[in-house]
Amino acid sequence: TASGARLLASLVSVMGERGDLNGAREAFEAAQRIHTDADSLDSVDYGRLLQSAGSARAKCGGDPEEAMKAFDEARRIYESQGVFKGTAGVSLLRSVGVAKRDAGDREGAMQAFKEAQSVCIEIGKKESVFGARILNEIGLTRGKSQAYKGAL
C-alpha cells in the first residue's frame, strides 16, 4: 500500500542516519517493489523515497555517484509532477547540498543551497523554516571552507 511505502521511506532515512546502509537498502527495495506493483514510479512519494535513498547512500559512505543519480531522478519526478518549485524542491536541494558538502564538494554544495534559496524566495518562503535551514547550511558550508566573511 501507499502508506506502507511511505513508512518504508521513513525507515530508509532512519537507517541512513544510523549508518546502516544495508538496512536502508532493504527498506528501499521493499518500498520500490510496492511502487512498482502500484505503477507509481513517477509519483511524488517515489521521488521522496529516492531522496531518502540518496541521502542514506551519501551519509553511509556509499557511492556518491549513485546518491546523485537518486537525487537527479527525484528531481525529474518533482519537476514532472509540478512540485519542484515548492518545499519539496527546497528539501531535495538541501539534501543534494549536504551530500556534496559531506563529499568535500563545497562549490557544488553552495550551488545547490543557492538554488534552494532562490526557490524559497520565489515561493515566498525566504523567511520561513525552509529559508532558515538553507541559510544555516550556507553558513555551515562557508564555515567549513574557512570563508566566514559573508556567511549569512
Side-chain angles (χ1 to χ4, degrees):
T1 66
S3 60
R6 282 191 294 274
L7 177 62
L8 287 164
S10 294
L11 282 174
V12 171
S13 293
V14 169
M15 294 297 179
E17 287 293 327
R18 295 183 57 174
D20 182 359
L21 186 56
N22 289 331
R25 185 176 292 118
E26 289 173 13
F28 172 80
E29 290 170 355
Q32 188 176 43
R33 281 191 298 276
I34 292 170
H35 282 287
T36 299
D37 292 347
D39 195 27
S40 61
L41 294 176
D42 277 330
S43 68
V44 172
D45 280 345
Y46 188 65
R48 287 187 184 117
L49 175 65
L50 289 167
Q51 182 179 341
S52 294
S55 292
R57 285 184 180 127
K59 288 177 186 163
C60 296
D63 183 354
E65 287 183 30
E66 287 299 314
M68 289 305 133
K69 284 180 187 176
F71 292 140
D72 289 345
E73 182 63 9
R75 181 177 180 144
R76 183 197 66 74
I77 291 169
Y78 289 173
E79 287 175 342
S80 74
Q81 295 297 323
V83 300
F84 182 75
K85 292 291 183 172
T87 57
V90 173
S91 175
L92 175 63
L93 290 165
R94 180 175 178 240
S95 294
V96 169
V98 169
K100 287 186 176 202
R101 181 181 62 217
D102 291 350
D105 180 6
R106 289 185 182 88
E107 185 176 316
M110 287 300 294
Q111 182 178 355
F113 296 141
K114 290 292 189 178
E115 186 177 1
Q117 190 176 44
S118 292
V119 173
C120 280
I121 292 166
E122 187 175 327
I123 64 172
K125 298 285 185 186
K126 179 182 177 187
E127 295 181 20
S128 72
V129 67
F130 296 99
R133 285 181 182 147
I134 298 306
L135 285 175
N136 182 60
E137 298 298 353
I138 290 170
L140 289 171
T141 303
R142 287 188 176 163
K144 287 188 177 198
S145 68
Q146 304 301 315
Y148 301 113
K149 193 172 186 177
L152 297 176

